[in-house]
Amino acid sequence: MTLESFVSVSNNSDFPIQNIPFGIFSTSDKSTPRVGTAIGDKAVDLSEVAKAGLLDGVQGLNDPVKIFSESSLNTFMSLGRPVWRATRLAIQDILSKDNAKLRDNSELLQKVLVPLTEVKMHLPARIGDYTDFYCSREHATNVGIMFRGKDNALQPNWLHIPVGYHGRASSVVVSGTDIRRPAGQKLPAKDAKAPVFGPSGRLDIELEVGWFVGKGNNLGEKIDINDAQDHLFGLVLVNDWSARDIQAWEYVPLGPFLGKSFGTSISPWIVTMDALEPFLVSGPVQASPEPLPYLQENKPSAYDINLEVQIKPAESSKFETVTVSNLKHMYWSVTQQLAHHTVNGCNMRSGDMGATGTISGPEKGSYGSLLEITWSGRDKIAFENGVERTFLQDGDEVKITGRAGKDSSLGYNIGFGECSGKILPCLYQ
Amino acid sequence: MTLESFVSVSNNSDFPIQNIPFGIFSTSDKSTPRVGTAIGDKAVDLSEVAKAGLLDGVQGLNDPVKIFSESSLNTFMSLGRPVWRATRLAIQDILSKDNAKLRDNSELLQKVLVPLTEVKMHLPARIGDYTDFYCSREHATNVGIMFRGKDNALQPNWLHIPVGYHGRASSVVVSGTDIRRPAGQKLPAKDAKAPVFGPSGRLDIELEVGWFVGKGNNLGEKIDINDAQDHLFGLVLVNDWSARDIQAWEYVPLGPFLGKSFGTSISPWIVTMDALEPFLVSGPVQASPEPLPYLQENKPSAYDINLEVQIKPAESSKFETVTVSNLKHMYWSVTQQLAHHTVNGCNMRSGDMGATGTISGPEKGSYGSLLEITWSGRDKIAFENGVERTFLQDGDEVKITGRAGKDSSLGYNIGFGECSGKILPCLYQ
C-alpha cells in the first residue's frame, strides 16, 4: 500500500511523505527558530506537533517538546539512528491520510502547517567542524590535467585515500544568504613574481553534497566503515564557493584557505539516510588499487541522486542550467569519507559536517565547477540573449537542486529543496 | 609603587598579580566548571568573587555572577577589550594587599582560593574554529630544505602571506590529556608505490603559541590590522602533535589532515594581551619584500616570550629540555595572522583559536619540532642514562612552558603554566 498524506503533495514535489527531512525554521509571527519537517509545499512545526502530545511514546525520544523547540538539530542528532528512524515513522503516521489525529484537528493544523514560502530557514545545526573532501575522480583528474598535465593528473595518494582537508565552519551559511565577493592576494599574471591585492576575479562554484554526523565517536577511537552509515544523520546540497585566483596563490603547501572560507552555502533541509536508502547503488569499482581493509565496505554505499546547477546572470531574469551531474559518480563514498576521517582517532560530534568535494561526471555537461566547464576560463558559457560567463559576476545567482528517484519505479522523488546564493560586490579594493 | 597581593607569590611564579589569566576549572567538591584566575599557587574562583558582589560596578560587565558561572569564557570574551581590561584591573584591586575586602574575609577566602594542585582544568573556551599557521621563517626553511632542497626551501608565496590552514577544533584538548598514538596510511619506504596501514612511527611535537579571538567580526567584513590587537583575548601554549609519516603521504595537494587531527594540546590559562603588553617588541624586519598594505602594522607586534620544550622519556623519571625558543623569532605576527585570516571576509567568533605554527629559532637548540631537531630522524636526541629518541615512543611525556619577562627589569614574570601530554599506545594495527 502506498503511503499517502492528507497534505496535498504535487507529483514533482521534493517533499512527499516518504521524505520527512529535518530543518530549523522561524516565521514572521514567531521569530524563535525551531525544528520542522517539510511536506508538499508546507513546513510542519514539530514543536507544535510535540506540544500536542502527538510524539509521545516514540522510543528513545524523551521530551520531544524540548528537543523540537531547540534552535538546532544537534540534540536530536545525538540520539542515534534508531530514534531518528522511529521519529520519522511516527511523523509519517501523523501525516498519513488515514490518521485523523492531526488531519481532523483544524485548530492544531492551523498552528502546525505553514506555507514554505512564509518560513525563514536557518542553519539546521551548530556545525562544530566542517571537512571538505575531494572524492570525485573526474573532478580531481580535470583539475590535475589543468595544473600538472595529463600524465600526472592524479596525485600518487588519490586512489588510496579519500583526500580531504579541514574547512571553515563559521562561514557555512544557509541557502538564500548573499555571498560577498572576497578580496585577497593574487598573482597579476601567471608568471608574476609578486602578488597584488584586490577582489577575486575568478569566483567559482563547487557542486557538492554534504553529510551531517548524527552520533559521533570518542577522541582516540575510530568509526568502523560498516557502522558509518548509522552515524550519518543525513545529506544536504552544498555550494563550496571558491575564489580560484586567491586559492592558486595561497594553497602551496598547506591547502585551500581564504580561497574558500568566505562562504559555503548549504540547503536547509537535511534529508535522512533512511529516506535515501531506496536509492543506494554500487559505486565505481575500486579494484586497481583495492582500498586498504579499513576502507572496504560490505554493502552498497553510493547514492543515485541527480544534481543540477543553474545560474541566473545579473543581466538576465531567468535561471539556466549549466550542469547536470549525479552523486553516484563519486569515487569515494560518504561512508568511506567518515571512516577515513576517524581512523586516526579524530572525534566527530553531533552536527559536524563533511562535504564530498566537487561532483563531476564524465562529460563536460556534468562538470561541477566553472573552472572545469570553462576549462580554466578558456571557454565561455553561453546564456540566452548573448550573455556569457567564464567566472561569476556581481549580481549573479546560483541555484543547486538535487533529487533522487527521477524516472524510478517508486512513484515519488526524494528532493533536497535548493541551495542558492547571490554574489554581492567586494567591499575592499 | 609595585602592585603586590596578599596572596603569597614566589619569585619564579608564572602567576603574579600582574598576570591575571583566565581559565575554566572545577574542584572535587564542586564539579561544575566555572571561571577562575590564577595567582601564585592558587586558583581564584571568580564565580564566588562575583557572588560576593566584589565585581559589581565593573564597567560593561553586566551580571558577573552569570558570566563567571559559565563553563566557558565565550560570553566574557564577547564583551570586548575595554571590559576585559576593566575586569582585570578590578581583580588586581581585589587581590592587592591594600584591599581588605577579600583579604580580611576568611569565610569568603575559604571559598575563593583553591590550591592549583587541587583544581581540574578544562578547555577555556568552546572553540568554534581552529586555524593553524606556518609563520616561523626558520621552521618553514628547515622543513623546506628537508623536503625540496636548499634552493627551493621557501615557497614563492611564503614571504607575502602568513600561510595558514584550517585545523580540527573537536580534538583540541586541555593540557594533561593523554594523546593516543594515531594509526593511518603511510608509505613503508620513501619510494614505495603503495601505502600500508598502521600506527604512526614518526610521532612528533610542534611548539606553538595559540591566540584566542575575543570579539569577532561579521561575515563579509575584515578586521583591520591596526585594530587586530583589540580583537585578541589572549595567548596560550600549544602542542600541535603531528604524525609525520601520515602527514607526508596525505598532504598533497590539500594540506595536513589526519596527521594532525588526532589531538592538539593547549595550556589551560589564557594570558591576556594586556598582561603581555610590556613584552611587545619589534619583530623581524619585513623589507624584502614589504608586505602588502593590509599587512603593514603601525606599532610593535612581536612578543618576547621564552618558550621551552621538555621531554620525559617513558624509561626515565625526569623531564629534560630539548628546545629553548622565543615567540619573537616569528616572522609574521599574531595580528598579521588575524588580519590576513579575515581579509576575505571570513568571520571570527568569540572563542575561535589560531596558532602560530612551529616556532623555531635560528639554531638547532631552538628548533620547535623533533623533525627539525633530529633532521628528519637522522640525528638522535640523547637523554640521561643513555636514553635516545628521534620521534616519540609510547609513554613519553612532553611539557611546554612559556614565560615573558625572564631577566627583565620589571621584577616579575608573566607565565603560562604548562602544556603537557603523554603518549598512549595505538589502538589499531
Side-chain angles (χ1 to χ4, degrees), chain A residues 135-421:
Chain A
C135 284
S136 151
R137 184 170 186 166
E138 289 79 4
H139 171 68
T141 304
N142 287 335
V143 172
I145 292 172
M146 279 185 254
F147 282 46
R148 288 177 302 274
K150 216 160 190 166
D151 294 336
N152 301 299
L154 280 191
Q155 300 281 3
N157 58 9
W158 202 93
L159 290 168
H160 298 278
I161 286 187
V163 171
Y165 67 102
H166 306 297
R168 179 83 191 173
S170 72
S171 52
V172 177
V173 296
V174 74
S175 174
T177 307
D178 293 335
I179 298 294
R180 179 71 67 182
R181 179 183 299 273
Q185 292 196 26
K186 52 188 185 175
L187 286 184
K190 209 179 168 181
D191 51 356
K193 288 273 177 285
V196 295
F197 179 84
S200 170
R202 288 163 66 90
L203 186 53
D204 199 355
I205 58 164
E206 290 197 337
L207 165 62
E208 306 195 11
V209 165
W211 43 263
F212 274 92
V213 174
K215 201 158 185 173
N217 61 307
N218 293 326
L219 183 60
E221 297 170 12
K222 67 174 180 176
I223 294 176
D224 188 272
I225 182 105
N226 291 313
D227 298 332
Q229 225 167 67
D230 289 343
H231 285 265
L232 292 175
F233 182 75
L235 305 184
V236 293
L237 305 171
V238 177
N239 187 346
D240 182 30
W241 308 91
S242 299
R244 299 299 180 190
D245 38 6
I246 295 172
Q247 184 185 354
W249 171 239
E250 75 176 356
Y251 93 105
V252 175
L254 300 186
F257 186 46
L258 302 190
K260 302 274 191 176
S261 62
F262 58 93
T264 305
S265 301
I266 67 172
S267 56
W269 296 105
I270 305 182
V271 178
T272 66
M273 303 319 276
D274 281 326
L276 293 168
E277 209 158 55
F279 309 98
L280 273 168
V281 293
S282 293
V285 176
Q286 298 179 328
S288 175
E290 267 205 331
L292 284 163
Y294 80 94
L295 291 171
Q296 291 177 13
E297 304 188 80
N298 61 14
K299 53 195 168 198
S301 62
Y303 291 89
D304 183 2
I305 301 174
N306 294 290
L307 301 165
E308 187 170 346
V309 180
Q310 296 171 281
I311 294 180
K312 183 162 87 64
E315 56 271 58
S316 165
S317 59
K318 158 176 176 190
F319 279 98
E320 297 176 52
T321 300
V322 296
T323 272
V324 176
S325 187
N326 192 302
L327 181 58
K328 72 181 175 191
H329 294 313
M330 203 169 55
Y331 189 79
W332 295 104
S333 68
V334 292
T335 34
Q336 287 178 315
Q337 291 166 31
L338 180 59
H340 180 65
H341 202 328
T342 62
V343 77
N344 70 337
C346 179
N347 56 326
M348 297 281 143
R349 299 173 291 189
S350 302
D352 285 351
M353 184 180 129
T356 56
T358 310
I359 301 159
S360 291
E363 312 93 21
K364 191 159 175 168
S366 62
Y367 292 172
S369 68
L370 301 180
L371 181 73
E372 293 164 86
I373 298 172
T374 69
W375 210 252
S376 195
R378 186 192 66 189
D379 309 331
K380 289 196 167 69
I381 304 172
F383 293 85
E384 284 188 11
N385 299 318
V387 175
E388 294 181 326
R389 285 289 182 277
T390 46
F391 293 97
L392 296 172
Q393 300 291 324
D394 294 343
D396 288 356
E397 293 180 54
V398 179
K399 180 163 75 179
I400 298 176
T401 52
R403 182 175 283 187
K406 207 177 164 183
D407 310 321
S408 88
S409 57
L410 289 166
Y412 63 85
N413 308 302
I414 296 292
F416 284 77
E418 67 179 53
C419 173
S420 64

Side-chain angles (χ1 to χ4, degrees), chain A residues 128-129 155 157 160-161 165-166 168-170 185 195 222 249 252 254 258 261-262 294 340 344 347 352 428, chain B residues 128-129 155 157 160-161 165-166 168-170 185 195 222 249 252 254 258 261-262 294 340 344 347 352 428:
Chain A
D129 278 289
Q155 300 281 3
N157 58 9
H160 298 278
I161 286 187
Y165 67 102
H166 306 297
R168 179 83 191 173
S170 72
Q185 292 196 26
K222 67 174 180 176
W249 171 239
V252 175
L254 300 186
L258 302 190
S261 62
F262 58 93
Y294 80 94
H340 180 65
N344 70 337
N347 56 326
D352 285 351
Y428 309 110
Chain B
D129 278 288
Q155 300 280 2
N157 58 10
H160 298 278
I161 285 187
Y165 66 102
H166 306 298
R168 179 82 192 174
S170 72
Q185 292 195 25
K222 67 175 181 178
W249 170 239
V252 175
L254 299 185
L258 302 190
S261 61
F262 59 92
Y294 81 94
H340 179 65
N344 70 337
N347 55 325
D352 285 350
Y428 308 110

Side-chain angles (χ1 to χ4, degrees), chain B residues 134-305:
Chain B
Y134 186 60
C135 283
S136 153
R137 184 171 185 163
E138 289 79 4
H139 171 68
T141 304
N142 287 336
V143 173
I145 291 172
M146 279 183 254
F147 282 48
R148 286 176 302 275
K150 214 160 192 167
D151 294 336
N152 301 300
L154 281 190
Q155 300 280 2
N157 58 10
W158 201 93
L159 290 168
H160 298 278
I161 285 187
V163 171
Y165 66 102
H166 306 298
R168 179 82 192 174
S170 72
S171 52
V172 177
V173 296
V174 73
S175 173
T177 307
D178 293 335
I179 298 294
R180 179 72 66 182
R181 179 183 299 273
Q185 292 195 25
K186 52 188 186 175
L187 286 183
K190 210 180 168 179
D191 51 357
K193 289 274 177 283
V196 295
F197 180 83
S200 170
R202 288 163 67 89
L203 187 53
D204 199 356
I205 58 163
E206 290 198 336
L207 165 62
E208 306 196 12
V209 166
W211 43 262
F212 274 93
V213 174
K215 202 159 183 171
N217 61 305
N218 294 324
L219 183 61
E221 296 170 12
K222 67 175 181 178
I223 293 176
D224 188 273
I225 181 107
N226 291 312
D227 299 333
Q229 225 166 68
D230 289 343
H231 285 264
L232 292 175
F233 182 76
L235 306 184
V236 293
L237 305 171
V238 177
N239 187 347
D240 182 31
W241 308 91
S242 300
R244 299 300 181 191
D245 39 6
I246 296 172
Q247 183 185 354
W249 170 239
E250 75 176 355
Y251 92 106
V252 175
L254 299 185
F257 185 45
L258 302 190
K260 302 274 190 175
S261 61
F262 59 92
T264 305
S265 301
I266 68 171
S267 57
W269 295 104
I270 305 181
V271 178
T272 67
M273 303 318 277
D274 281 327
L276 293 168
E277 208 157 56
F279 310 98
L280 272 168
V281 293
S282 293
V285 176
Q286 299 179 326
S288 178
E290 269 205 329
L292 284 164
Y294 81 94
L295 291 172
Q296 290 177 14
E297 304 188 79
N298 61 14
K299 54 195 169 200
S301 62
Y303 290 90
D304 184 2
I305 301 175

